[in-house]
């Protein structure tokens, strides 16, 4: 499967590091005794299925890498549906990159009982300097001692289940994941994380406590992570957020554009048609 000219490099580094970041997070969490969490990773061909019956969130229940190395088949798509069904998960995202897969795969997805949902825009930037953020909040890199506070904000902001609190906190246990928080005095205000591998950085888990929204936390968090990625020797940064939808606020989208990120490509999300 050959991507179209002009974005093959973007595709390679954005998809590869996102997959690596997910695997690293999973390994950090799987080393813990978490009786209330049944998260697992399962490969179906070149697709990596992240499956978690204890938390219905699509941030955990999603499939990466479909069609990156071989043409998807009906058998593969049916097996993916079976895995989630058997885990009691009715809603999951199957990530699809149209320029890679082509029109024939779109028809195959439809024939196999999937439908298109709101996509995620992938972003990229280098590690050049950013502007300043207008905020009185303090940005700090945190460790394991503050991981529970980090998880509290993330779980609330992204509507994750309580069972996922220790799973999110487990990010602090992986040396390639770096966690950040914004503070108003001793009060935790916002979160952000970066996964670094080689010269590439992947940003995720940007969230703000409802009491501190519109106070510059996320812009300051992006600036801090960009600066630290540069100091770590990174030359490229990638992240993602929901695609623009008319009539909906695009706070995260606009924050990324303001801090120098550029749109790389739109990755479609497909879900079971019965959902």
């Amino acid at each position: 499967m050959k991507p179209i000219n002009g974005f093959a490099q973007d595709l390679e580094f954005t998809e590869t590091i996102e997959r690596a970041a997910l695997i690293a997070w999973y390994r950090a969490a799987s080393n813990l005794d978490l009786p209330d969490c049944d998260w697992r990773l399962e490969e179906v061909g070149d697709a990596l299925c992240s499956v978690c019956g204890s938390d219905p969130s699509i941030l955990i229940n999603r499939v990466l890498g479909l069609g990156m190395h071989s043409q998807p088949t009906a058998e593969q798509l049916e097996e993916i549906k079976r895995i989630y069904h058997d885990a009691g998960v009715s809603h999951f995202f199957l990530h699809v990159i149209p320029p890679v897969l082509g029109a024939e795969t779109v028809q195959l997805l439809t024939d196999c009982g999937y439908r298109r949902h709101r996509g995620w825009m992938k972003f990229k930037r280098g590690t050049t300097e950013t502007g300043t953020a207008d905020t009185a909040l303090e940005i700090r890199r945190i460790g394991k001692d503050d991981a529970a506070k980090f998880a509290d904000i993330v779980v609330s902001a992204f509507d994750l289940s309580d069972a996922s609190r220790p799973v999110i906190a487990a990010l602090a246990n992986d040396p390639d994941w770096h966690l950040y928080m914004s503070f108003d005095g001793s009060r935790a205000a916002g979160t952000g994380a970066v996964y670094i591998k080689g010269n590439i950085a992947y940003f995720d888990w940007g969230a703000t406590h409802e009491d501190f929204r519109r106070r510059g936390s996320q812009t300051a968090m992006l600036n801090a992570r960009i600066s630290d990625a540069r100091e770590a020797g990174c030359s490229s940064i990638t992240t993602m957020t929901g695609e623009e939808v008319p009539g909906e606020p695009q706070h995260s989208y606009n924050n990324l554009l303001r801090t120098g990120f550029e749109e790389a490509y739109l990755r479609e999300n497909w879900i079971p048609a019965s959902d």
Side-chain angles (χ1 to χ4, degrees), residues 34-38 52 54-57 60 148 151-169:
L34 301 175
D36 296 327
C37 180
D38 60 0
C52 186
S54 56
D55 193 326
S57 173
I60 302 178
D152 285 344
I153 291 178
V154 167
V155 166
S156 176
F158 291 110
D159 197 26
L160 300 173
S161 74
D162 286 340
S164 290
R165 291 181 189 276
V167 177
I168 296 295

Side-chain angles (χ1 to χ4, degrees), residues 47-66:
L48 179 66
C49 303
S50 174
V51 187
C52 186
S54 56
D55 193 326
S57 173
I58 51 83
L59 297 180
I60 302 178
N61 290 287
R62 55 198 189 94
V63 183
L64 290 79
L66 181 73

